Amino acid sequence: MSELILGIESSCDETGVALVRTGAPGQTPQLLAHALHSQIEMHQAYGGVVPELASRDHIRRVLPLTGAVLREAGVALDQVNVVAYTRGPGLAGALLVGAGVASALAAALDRPTMGVHHLEGHLLSPFLSADPPQFPFVALLVSGGHTQLMRVDGVGRYALLGETIDDAAGEAFDKSAKLLGLGYPGGPALSRLAGEGDARAFKLPRPLLHSGDLDFSFAGLKTAVLTQAQRLGDALPERRADLAASTQAAIVEVLVKKTLAALAATGLQRVVVAGGVGANRLLREQLDAACAQRGVRVHYPELHLCTDNGAMIAMAAAMRLQAGVAQLRRDYAFDVKPRWPLEEISASNP
Ligand code: KG4
Ligand code: ZN
């Protein structure tokens, strides 16, 4: 029997709502509708996300977006079987909005709630594409707050292979972009400017490239960009594109090489890239080229589902339900987990 899952995402600066229908065992759940409101414009004036403003805006947006999703899907609210929400990681106040609204809706409907791990949402987001991956695969999770390589054997079966010891790849993009005087969010801006520059113009470090493990470090890169920018002084404006291109090349090279190392270490032949940085064009080009040479398939979420959205939360909830590993709550109590390692929800760590 199929079930309708409403998913609410509010962990950071995007309010997302979506409706997904579960399928028969072995079938990928189906996205019926999703709606998104990005707060980027609101936070732009401050150069980054202002948590209190984020929470208030989620409150304003979440119910209108829910109404829009139900209308688009042609589904009445009382047909929803499970209300899922992002339980963490993320901004505490922002998470509480989604968790509170989801629990209130579920209580009114007398249906269970389900708290979803935001990174599991990203990890499973390629299942929303027309050509979904098959388990097992290596996942490169590259978001604003996380950079991890995981071995994924199934829904809820995640083993950490390596992760960043300091900044995330998205943070490296954002912080370098800020140093170059580009706006927030820096990733897309830096990558656009990089398209006009010469990636070989500046020699920047490739941290931990030869460390022999699958960990990352990006904090030193940001310092190197700062040093270059200071050295350039007045000449910075005309060299900005070159510095942006060199920065992007350094980040992408490390991500690609470490992903190849993870493939070699696990013997797996499939890669899934998820999280905001997965939208980066150079990363896609270089990873595709390197993997094609090795006969490895690479899967990405659709471009508009790389950054935060409700579809991935509803999808993760639906896949957990179908796999029989969902933890449903019927007491309408909720808590959020601003810090929440993904391994905590892995089957080997129930
Ligand atoms: O997954 P996401 O939407 O949010 C988190 O869960 O953190 O990722 C946002 C991150 C930001 O750091 C943003 O700069 C980066 O993804 N990003 C990009 C691109 N699009 C988004 N970085 C590089 N190139 C892009 N095209
Ligand atoms: Zn995210």
Side-chain angles (χ1 to χ4, degrees), residues 115 170 247 317:
T247 306

Side-chain angles (χ1 to χ4, degrees), residues 118 122 143 308:
H118 181 83
H122 277 304
S143 70
D308 294 348

Side-chain angles (χ1 to χ4, degrees), residues 293-327:
Q293 275 180 1
R294 293 163 176 78
V296 169
R297 282 285 314 268
V298 192
H299 294 263
Y300 303 91
E302 287 180 36
L303 260 186
H304 67 286
L305 297 177
C306 277
T307 46
D308 294 348
N309 62 82
M312 68 184 197
I313 299 305
M315 184 57 142
M319 289 183 74
R320 278 200 162 253
L321 264 183
Q322 267 187 235
V325 292
Q327 282 176 331

